[in-house]
Amino acid sequence: MERARLESARPLARRPLVTLLTAAALAASGLTALTSAARAADADLARNGGFESALDGWTCTAGTTVTSPVHSGATALKATPAGADNARCAQTVSVKPDSQYTLSGYVQGTYVYLGASGTGTTDVSTWAQSTPDWQQLTTTFRTGPSTTKVTIYTHGWYGTGAYHADDISLIGPGGETGQPPAAPGGLKTGSVTSSAVALSWSPVPGATGYAVYRDGTRVSTVTGTSTTVSGLTPSTAYSFQVTAVNDAGESARSATVTATTAQRPDDGGGSSGLPAHALVGYLHASFANGSGYTRMADVPDSWDVIDLAFGEPTSVTSGDIRFERCPVAECPNVESDAEFKAAIKAKQAAGKKVLISIGGQNGQVQLTGTAARDKFVSSVSAIIDEYGLDGLDIDFEGHSLSLNADDTDFKNPKTPVIVNLISAVKTLKAKYGDDFVLTMAPETFFVQLGYQYYGTGKWGGQDPRAGAYLPVIHALRDDLTLLHVQDYNSGSIMGLDNQYHSMGGADFHIAMTDMLLTGFPVAGDANNVFPPLRPDQVAIGMPASTQAGNGHVSSAEVNKALNCLTKKTDCGSYATHGTWPDLRGLMTWSINWDRYSNWEFQKNFDAYFG
């Protein structure tokens, strides 16, 4: 913090001297004020300085707009520094060489900075140490003899909490901005799925990027001439337009194209075969612990998806997955293989799904090469075929998934363990067809933490596992039956309200699930949004009892979370971004622990959805 104080103090110390010298120079030349012509040439060059058009014009690492507090108008910027990110928001402005400018803005918070870089002379900044109320910051600079662009910015300081900014202005003569580009032509649709539409268009000379509009609302900005708009609702008609942008502004919108998304694969009781609200649980099939062994035939009919825990690799990087049933010495009441398989068939005849879950706490899986990928496919297929299973649950934990330093875009992953896992699962899906059930049970660290951090980060030093499940979920979202993130054994996670949420009550489940159903900018990048999943693809993961894991909540808190997400009642302090009556249901670790606790979790589920 001391380094920041010294750096920011230098321009503050110089400003009085600059002001005196400027005044002296004006007096010596007989000029006591700017001419009317000079005043007329000055303008406010900051785009959307009041943040009334969301973050349009600004590039922010971790920012959003809020309606309170504001200095003026309807909205202001709120940005939250965290970790190695100071929550910088910046924009580049066209200026004239060798000209004088005044940068000002109103801020609120602790250690809030306002500055300009790339001036061609001396870059400047000013800051406020602690401002519980709105305070104006002002600084001045002169551009260099060949400077035509300057970046203005605001940011906070690491770990000191959220700051607010509003009414940022840059007063001075405008630069040569040229003309906005022409409207794009040739807009057309490509592949259309139940949740996504591919778009492409012709390039526009002079454009530096393109803005994509869905039903009149801007949804993304891209640099190329194609994109895929995701997170759409099945069997729904959408309209699309694009514009071309450059430093001078945005073009008129293109002609409109329309597309209707495909019917959801499980519409009308199709491929997934799950009830509207499902109960998912893990069955300790390969080991015993304090909860004891539960035979497959003894699992009550309330459980709609039964995950066999666990298939594990012969070594971390082999890709060779083995499923060994619990030995008699460890599980005296274990059934025979024949009885186990017969019980699976009986469950399936009753409409239940039985899956092999790969990974778990001890089963680290890293598909580092194509040989491991192919072995994963063949060995998992062998398990599915031997026991007649319905599909696969991916429960990769620990160090199974992490991102290489140059892997920064969840939509286009490069890391071999990520790419090979996606390829392997797609191969299994293609082999078994539409009836193949695919579920995932990541920890919050690998999913919701991606709102703040993704991989090693722009400057390195972050945990490469942060958000590492996002590319897997995104690439497989059209094949995914259920995502049930483990809302337990988790540290505090920041929600879409930019507040940290901790385990122990309904609030944590509400905030974490809202992120999945609303979508969120990855690592705070508003131009890189993880699209929402369908509510029928999402279940909430909870421990069945206090013995099952940290983060257990009472049945009353479970019901509050369900009420808030499906009915928008009992929401407490967290305001959701929607209401999702089609939320699929609940997942728990585990069936065995629930039996140990007299089936409390299952009974509450039955009572709530019964």
Side-chain angles (χ1 to χ4, degrees):
M1 189 63 71
E2 291 301 320
R3 179 172 176 266
R5 291 195 183 102
L6 291 172
E7 287 179 345
S8 299
R10 286 196 290 268
L12 288 170
R14 281 197 295 269
R15 271 203 306 281
L17 179 58
V18 171
T19 303
L20 290 171
L21 290 174
T22 302
L26 287 170
S29 63
L31 297 175
T32 58
L34 292 173
T35 66
S36 60
R39 284 197 300 270
D42 288 348
D44 185 359
L45 307 179
R47 177 179 173 183
N48 188 29
F51 301 96
E52 301 301 313
S53 300
L55 298 180
D56 183 39
W58 296 91
T59 299
C60 301
T61 61
T64 187
T65 53
V66 295
T67 56
S68 179
V70 298
H71 176 258
S72 70
T75 55
L77 170 70
K78 178 181 179 181
T80 305
D85 179 19
N86 61 11
R88 172 185 166 109
C89 283
Q91 68 171 267
T92 300
V93 181
S94 295
V95 295
K96 282 189 174 182
D98 198 24
S99 299
Q100 190 73 18
Y101 293 88
T102 298
L103 173 65
S104 67
Y106 288 85
V107 301
Q108 187 179 114
T110 303
Y111 295 108
V112 191
Y113 292 74
L114 180 69
S117 61
T119 63
T121 55
T122 301
D123 291 349
V124 296
S125 70
T126 180
W127 63 294
Q129 180 173 349
S130 179
T131 58
D133 299 316
W134 289 105
Q135 176 180 328
Q136 186 178 29
L137 298 178
T138 302
T139 186
T140 62
F141 62 89
R142 191 170 189 85
T143 53
S146 59
T147 301
T148 59
K149 293 183 184 300
V150 167
T151 297
I152 61 175
Y153 62 85
T154 182
H155 67 73
W157 196 251
Y158 311 97
T160 56
Y163 73 89
H164 297 82
D166 202 0
D167 297 332
I168 296 174
S169 65
L170 180 66
I171 306 299
E176 298 296 328
T177 59
Q179 297 294 321
L187 177 63
K188 60 184 179 180
T189 61
S191 63
V192 178
T193 69
S194 62
S195 62
V197 174
L199 301 171
S200 63
W201 54 90
S202 302
V204 176
T208 57
Y210 300 90
V212 181
Y213 289 81
R214 183 192 69 210
D215 293 338
T217 300
R218 186 169 176 169
V219 293
S220 66
T221 302
V222 298
T223 56
T225 57
S226 64
T227 190
T228 298
V229 181
S230 304
L232 306 180
T233 302
S235 305
T236 303
Y238 292 93
S239 65
F240 301 95
Q241 295 169 292
V242 294
T243 62
V245 296
N246 62 15
D247 290 341
E250 186 174 358
S251 74
R253 296 186 188 183
S254 70
T256 301
V257 298
T258 60
T260 299
T261 50
Q263 190 178 38
R264 189 166 59 213
D266 63 338
D267 278 354
S271 61
S272 82
L274 296 178
H277 301 293
L279 180 61
V280 182
Y282 287 79
L283 183 68
H284 308 177
S286 60
F287 61 94
N289 57 17
S291 64
Y293 184 82
T294 299
R295 295 162 63 99
M296 174 65 72
D298 294 334
V299 175
D301 288 341
S302 296
W303 300 90
D304 300 296
V305 180
I306 302 168
D307 293 318
L308 304 180
F310 288 105
E312 298 181 1
T314 56
S315 68
V316 173
T317 59
S318 69
D320 187 4
I321 306 300
R322 304 294 175 89
F323 173 58
E324 303 291 342
R325 300 196 53 241
C326 191
V328 174
E330 186 177 351
C331 304
N333 60 324
V334 65
E335 66 269 62
S336 68
D337 280 353
E339 291 171 326
F340 186 69
K341 292 175 183 178
I344 290 174
K345 287 184 178 180
K347 292 295 180 188
Q348 293 166 331
K352 313 305 177 184
K353 305 297 180 183
V354 184
L355 315 180
I356 179 64
S357 180
I358 307 298
Q361 180 178 346
N362 299 324
Q364 306 290 300
V365 181
Q366 296 174 1
L367 304 183
T368 55
T370 56
R373 176 199 66 191
D374 295 344
K375 188 63 178 178
F376 181 88
V377 171
S378 62
S379 59
V380 171
S381 295
I383 296 169
I384 291 173
D385 293 344
E386 179 179 356
Y387 292 95
L389 305 179
D390 296 288
L392 168 67
D393 173 69
I394 302 172
D395 186 15
F396 285 15
E397 300 180 14
H399 291 272
S400 291
L401 296 181
S402 63
L403 295 157
N404 290 350
D406 64 343
D407 199 344
T408 59
D409 181 4
F410 76 91
K411 296 176 183 175
N412 298 286
K414 303 177 182 178
T415 307
V417 295
I418 303 290
V419 174
N420 289 330
L421 175 60
I422 293 168
S423 175
V425 175
K426 283 187 173 292
T427 301
L428 287 166
K429 173 73 174 183
K431 175 179 180 179
Y432 291 102
D434 290 340
D435 290 338
F436 186 76
V437 178
L438 173 64
T439 65
M440 300 182 194
E443 297 164 293
T444 55
F445 191 94
F446 295 90
V447 184
Q448 287 94 338
L449 186 68
Y451 177 52
Q452 288 183 274
Y453 310 106
Y454 188 70
T456 58
K458 294 181 179 179
W459 300 280
Q462 296 175 187
D463 193 318
R465 298 173 298 165
Y469 247 95
L470 294 178
V472 179
I473 299 168
H474 185 68
L476 297 169
R477 63 172 55 237
D478 287 338
D479 302 310
L480 182 64
T481 308
L482 272 179
L483 176 72
H484 30 66
V485 176
Q486 302 176 31
D487 286 358
Y488 46 90
N489 298 333
S490 170
S492 297
I493 303 291
M494 181 179 286
L496 294 181
D497 57 353
N498 290 328
Q499 303 299 314
Y500 284 95
H501 299 269
S502 301
M503 300 181 302
D507 175 81
F508 187 70
H509 299 294
I510 293 167
M512 295 302 99
T513 308
D514 181 63
M515 295 179 75
L516 303 176
L517 298 172
T518 303
F520 54 87
V522 176
D525 185 351
N527 294 317
N528 195 29
V529 175
F530 177 79
L533 292 166
R534 302 190 317 264
D536 67 280
Q537 290 180 298
V538 176
I540 310 173
M542 301 176 171
S545 66
T546 55
Q547 299 95 331
N550 294 322
H552 174 261
V553 295
S554 67
S555 295
E557 293 298 301
V558 173
N559 293 348
K560 285 181 182 179
L562 291 171
N563 285 341
C564 179
L565 292 164
T566 64
K567 304 173 185 176
K568 218 173 182 67
T569 62
D570 284 340
C571 288
S573 62
Y574 185 91
T576 64
H577 293 75
T579 307
W580 302 278
D582 293 333
L583 180 74
R584 184 64 80 175
L586 301 178
M587 174 275 280
T588 191
W589 177 264
S590 63
I591 294 173
N592 302 62
W593 280 116
D594 196 36
R595 181 186 185 187
Y596 184 86
S597 299
N598 196 32
W599 303 111
E600 178 185 354
F601 194 90
Q602 171 209 301
K603 289 175 181 176
N604 184 65
F605 178 90
D606 289 344
Y608 188 91
F609 288 111

